[in-house]
Amino acid sequence: MFLRDIWYFAMPGEALKSGGLANKVLLGEPLVFGRTRQGEPFALRDICPHRGVPLSAGHLYDAGSSGCGEAAIECPYHGWKFNTSGVCTEIPSLVPGQDIDVSRIRVRRYPVREVNGNIWVYMTDEKRADLAPTHEPPAIPGFDGKSANIRESMTFSCHVDHAVIGLMDPAHGPFVHRSWYWRTKASIHEKAKNFAPSEMGFAMVEHTPSSNSFAYRILGGKPTTEISFRLPGIRLERIHAGRHRVVGLTAVTPIDETSTEITQSFYWTLPLLSVAKPVLRRFMRAFLGQDRDMVNLQQQGLRFEPRLMLINDSDVQAKWYHRLKNEWDEATAQGRPFQNPVKPVTLRWRS
Ligand code: FES
Ligand SMILES: [Fe+2]
């Protein structure tokens, strides 16, 4: 179904206010995210163990106000309180002498990290819920402590695999993203790119991008770019031009079996790009919208469960994605280190 024991992008940090709660279904599981007044994010299963009310409908009380000296969510139904580790700290209806050990009542807690303004959540298999993360979520190289300059998010009506494969598919550009300023049918030409294994995935090694892409042209200077993919569905594109750098992060997160959220964020050092934000936002929405419309259209065919094809070389990255996933599943099930199945190779295609 979904990869487990791995970090998924949950939401932008700015979506979670200090002292606030936010609910979100991820991988078919309801989660409540909160942020303490100290700024620490946390995540719990969004179901009260008493009678099943979503905890996200309650309140986050913080040190002092909750009376228990630590941040806790209060369920709106009977006021049970759960701390940020998911341990029950109070049942208001108890009278003296009714000595239930409330600390034995627990809500599932999910490990959370906030890196470069991105909130990541570690989704383990229920059976391994108490295991500590084996790795860290991705950071944005060269942007220590900085948040994204721009973000757009969109929901695709498809399983995560089709969203990820659509994202790494090099052959759809001139068809799905055809436009006078980006790609035209006449701009199709042969490409050869070098690929190598990289952390939890693979990378198109640093190169000078082809001249038919508008985004690279507006950067000025001779840019180089490196694109990497890592499980479960994270694409990092780093562009260097002179002393400037732009990093694009695309995170694909399954909401459930049939819907997937794509969040695209850009980090940059060019003040000029900040001025152009409204225009960039329109381009980003247009782009994501074209991809969304295509995978949504694809669902019409997939309803009939056809056999699908993966061809050389333009679908090799999709093949790697399946292999990487299988290896991740096997490695986590066997409790052994992940062994990257990708080998260095040059791939050629026309796009
Ligand atoms: S349902 Fe949450 S306290 Fe009763
Ligand atoms: Fe696309």
Side-chain angles (χ1 to χ4, degrees):
M1 278 232 291
F2 300 120
L3 279 191
R4 293 286 171 168
D5 304 280
I6 201 159
W7 293 98
Y8 283 91
F9 176 84
M11 62 180 70
E14 60 267 23
L16 203 52
K17 299 279 175 279
S18 167
L21 297 174
N23 64 323
K24 189 151 189 173
V25 172
L26 295 175
L27 284 65
E29 296 173 25
L31 274 73
V32 52
F33 289 84
R35 188 192 290 285
T36 65
R37 300 233 181 264
Q38 285 74 44
E40 280 303 310
F42 64 93
L44 305 176
R45 181 170 155 90
D46 193 17
I47 299 178
C48 178
H50 182 214
R51 224 64 77 67
V53 165
L55 292 173
S56 56
H59 282 286
L60 177 61
Y61 287 96
D62 224 324
S65 61
S66 72
C68 58
E70 61 176 342
I73 301 184
E74 183 189 76
C75 176
Y77 201 172
H78 312 95
W80 292 22
K81 285 202 180 93
F82 300 89
N83 68 17
T84 58
S85 304
V87 178
C88 183
T89 56
E90 191 186 338
I91 295 180
S93 66
L94 292 178
V95 300
Q98 294 176 336
D99 51 348
I100 298 178
D101 180 4
V102 297
S103 71
R104 291 187 58 182
I105 303 169
R106 281 161 193 253
V107 191
R108 181 170 175 190
R109 176 194 74 101
Y110 296 82
V112 165
R113 298 269 196 283
E114 189 167 20
V115 188
N116 292 114
N118 302 309
I119 295 182
W120 301 89
V121 60
Y122 194 70
M123 301 295 289
T124 49
D125 190 281
E126 184 104 52
K127 298 189 287 288
R128 299 187 287 266
D130 289 329
L131 288 189
T134 56
H135 59 287
E136 287 301 312
I140 308 298
F143 289 84
D144 284 358
K146 296 223 173 64
S147 287
N149 294 86
I150 194 168
R151 292 185 195 275
E152 272 301 322
S153 169
M154 223 173 252
T155 304
F156 292 10
S157 305
C158 66
H159 185 271
V160 62
D161 286 352
H162 290 294
V164 170
I165 288 171
L167 195 73
M168 61 176 52
D169 169 21
H172 76 286
F175 298 93
V176 173
H177 303 299
R178 187 185 300 171
S179 54
W180 61 266
Y181 56 84
W182 186 267
R183 295 278 152 80
T184 62
K185 213 170 175 183
S187 72
I188 296 185
H189 62 280
E190 187 176 323
K191 290 172 185 165
K193 307 275 182 184
N194 299 323
F195 286 82
S198 61
E199 191 187 359
M200 296 167 68
F202 55 86
M204 183 191 287
V205 297
E206 190 164 34
H207 65 286
T208 301
S210 54
S211 54
N212 70 350
S213 32
F214 172 74
Y216 297 142
R217 282 205 299 264
I218 58 172
L219 277 171
K222 205 176 172 72
T224 60
T225 179
E226 188 202 86
I227 302 172
S228 62
F229 171 83
R230 67 180 258 176
L231 293 175
I234 298 155
R235 183 181 189 270
L236 258 188
E237 176 157 11
R238 303 197 237 171
I239 305 165
H240 256 154
R243 60 195 171 83
H244 283 297
R245 47 169 73 218
V246 177
V247 178
L249 167 76
T250 311
V252 183
T253 304
I255 301 302
D256 56 30
E257 283 290 302
T258 57
S259 67
T260 300
E261 191 176 65
I262 321 293
T263 305
Q264 201 161 40
S265 314
F266 282 98
Y267 297 74
W268 59 59
T269 58
L270 290 92
L272 182 71
L273 281 181
S274 298
V275 181
K277 259 195 206 180
V279 181
L280 286 171
R281 194 174 291 285
R282 282 186 52 191
F283 280 123
M284 286 168 77
R285 287 204 70 77
F287 251 74
L288 280 172
Q290 288 164 340
D291 286 321
R292 176 202 55 204
D293 293 349
M294 189 50 66
V295 298
N296 289 0
L297 181 65
Q298 184 187 25
Q299 295 308 305
Q300 293 186 18
L302 293 183
R303 271 209 302 275
F304 301 95
E305 296 177 15
R307 267 183 72 94
L308 304 177
M309 299 166 66
L310 294 173
I311 66 161
N312 289 341
D313 282 350
S314 57
D315 293 335
V316 167
Q317 295 176 72
K319 291 185 188 180
W320 286 341
Y321 169 62
H322 287 302
R323 260 183 244 154
L324 286 159
K325 273 184 66 177
N326 288 341
E327 166 59 13
W328 188 268
D329 271 341
E330 283 173 23
T332 49
Q334 296 166 14
R336 63 167 172 80
F338 169 79
Q339 279 168 344
N340 196 320
V342 177
K343 301 277 176 281
V345 68
T346 301
L347 300 180
R348 294 163 41 139
W349 66 82
R350 281 168 52 80
S351 72

